[in-house]
Amino acid sequence: MTTNTEKIFAFIDTYTEESEKLYLEAVIEACREWLSGGAQPALSEIPTKEEIRRGIQLAVLKGMKRNAQPHHQMTPDSMGMLIGHIAGKLAKGNQDISLLDPAAGTGNLLYTVMNAIGNEVTATAVEIDDLLVRLSAVTAELLEHPVTFYVQDALRPLLVDPVDITVSDLPVGYYPDDDNALQYELMPTEGHAYSHHLFIEQSMNHTKPGGYGLFIIPANLFESEQAALLHPFLKKRTIIRAVIQLPDSLFKNAAYVKSILILQKPFAEMKVTPDVLLAKVPSMTDKKAMSLFLQKIDLWAGE
Ligand code: SAM
């Protein structure tokens, strides 16, 4: 039987293959047609938000493979689902959760998290690439998620009120705009700053006291050349709540292995500094080990 996700992908893919436009541009057009009622996927029942997200995701992956661009890197579901689960637990019991993704790309990570949290959630997405913003904006409309978009360098001043949870799959590398970087504590005295460091600082500046930052980071973040600058910053300005190592098997190249860093913004009522959770995600195909791991995460999040 064909699933709703497959039907949605087939609708977008057929529309796109018939178009003369660049694949990703045509994906946006197919989604707009769907929104306006001009053309529809052949669905026998109303799709869930996750089915819509996954159907579009399959088309976007195909488009990114066809016209590879170095910064077109959608966050894979293996990481998105885990961050969604953790964000859902941290948000539990609170109404009207606000989210920020300062490097939102296609929005795949952000929408996975929004779908995991549920209905009462709003978000702000910042992204420098105009095509990715148009793609993520049309996806948000189909998902009926209230999202405000900013097409800009997220490390420049952001007109965003502090949010409950910031999530981001951080862009990794050097940030070339030294003048702008001088406004950050994490600008080194010599050379360019690491953009992933500045993104952490900017994200925590836009997170409410008591709120959380959930980041996909390079696994060697704490051993890198500029780690000596990062350590005191994190100690002074944030509470490190967890460092979760992702399985090596998720990454083709050992040099690009990632982890998840969870920070909390200090708040006035904080009495004791909680212990840092240091954990390693087991092989995601090992259901029993994965279920035990998620139980551990749930206990930690409930503390
Ligand atoms: N989570 C995204 C998704 O699911 O599609 C993928 C994020 S990707 C790893 C990092 C993104 O950061 C890219 O889309 C890139 O264009 C964006 N980016 C890089 N530098 C930026 C900047 N200074 N301001 C805003 N966005 C930036």
Side-chain angles (χ1 to χ4, degrees):
M1 208 178 76
T2 317
T3 64
N4 278 343
T5 296
E6 287 162 343
K7 286 177 187 164
I8 291 166
F9 168 66
F11 160 72
I12 299 174
D13 187 49
T14 308
Y15 185 100
T16 302
E17 291 293 2
E18 284 167 5
S19 165
E20 288 183 356
K21 293 194 168 159
L22 201 70
Y23 194 95
L24 287 180
E25 288 285 357
V27 170
I28 297 171
E29 207 172 271
C31 291
R32 288 215 178 106
E33 278 292 307
W34 181 8
L35 271 170
S36 68
Q40 303 271 332
L43 301 166
S44 45
E45 63 206 25
I46 298 172
T48 64
K49 288 183 198 285
E50 271 300 274
E51 287 168 339
I52 298 175
R53 183 189 66 76
R54 289 198 181 133
I56 298 172
Q57 179 198 44
L58 290 176
V60 173
L61 280 174
K62 184 170 171 182
M64 286 185 166
K65 221 169 168 183
R66 195 170 282 185
N67 294 89
Q69 304 268 344
H71 65 284
H72 282 182
Q73 291 163 1
M74 184 156 50
T75 306
D77 272 1
S78 46
M79 298 177 215
M81 304 299 283
L82 192 56
I83 294 202
H85 180 91
I86 298 170
K89 292 288 165 195
L90 294 174
K92 208 174 136 206
N94 293 312
Q95 296 288 314
D96 302 326
I97 292 290
S98 54
L99 298 177
L100 164 69
D101 186 342
T106 62
N108 195 48
L109 170 65
L110 182 62
Y111 304 147
T112 308
V113 173
M114 291 181 95
N115 288 350
I117 292 179
N119 287 332
E120 309 293 322
V121 58
T122 55
T124 302
V126 188
E127 167 59 49
I128 205 160
D129 182 300
D130 158 81
L131 170 70
L132 297 184
V133 173
R134 286 185 287 120
L135 194 57
S136 75
V138 79
T139 308
E141 265 195 80
L142 281 166
L143 293 171
E144 298 180 5
H145 279 319
V147 183
T148 306
F149 294 91
Y150 292 92
V151 192
Q152 68 161 88
D153 174 353
L155 298 175
R156 295 227 151 234
L158 275 183
L159 280 173
V160 180
D161 287 335
V163 296
D164 297 302
I165 303 177
T166 299
V167 291
S168 199
D169 183 356
L170 301 177
V172 177
Y174 287 107
Y175 180 62
D177 187 345
D178 292 338
D179 285 344
N180 188 42
L182 281 171
Q183 302 173 42
Y184 289 84
E185 285 184 43
L186 289 170
M187 173 65 177
T189 44
E190 272 178 38
H192 295 310
Y194 281 160
S195 58
H196 44 297
H197 286 190
L198 304 187
F199 264 87
I200 291 175
E201 186 173 338
Q202 177 76 317
S203 298
M204 295 318 285
N205 285 342
H206 288 273
T207 302
K208 290 178 189 169
Y212 295 91
L214 276 59
F215 305 105
I216 297 176
I217 55 161
N220 68 354
L221 185 86
F222 296 110
E223 289 108 47
S224 77
E225 215 181 285
Q226 293 186 20
L229 206 57
L230 184 67
H231 283 290
F233 170 84
L234 293 178
K235 218 169 157 198
K236 199 161 70 177
R237 303 268 180 235
T238 76
I239 309 161
I240 303 179
R241 294 296 313 272
V243 182
I244 301 173
Q245 225 181 310
L246 291 163
D248 294 355
S249 56
L250 290 185
F251 306 92
K252 282 194 198 118
N253 186 331
Y256 299 117
V257 175
K258 307 267 173 143
S259 293
I260 296 173
L261 170 67
I262 304 180
L263 301 177
Q264 190 172 18
K265 183 130 165 182
F267 53 108
E269 307 80 35
M270 192 182 90
K271 292 190 187 85
V272 282
T273 307
D275 290 339
V276 184
L277 171 77
L278 296 174
K280 187 169 182 181
V281 182
S283 159
M284 289 188 171
T285 50
D286 184 340
K287 283 197 178 140
K288 200 169 162 208
M290 219 27 222
S291 150
L292 284 172
F293 171 78
L294 290 176
Q295 276 175 30
K296 190 169 161 184
I297 291 285
D298 295 353
L299 271 175
W300 163 85
E303 273 170 8

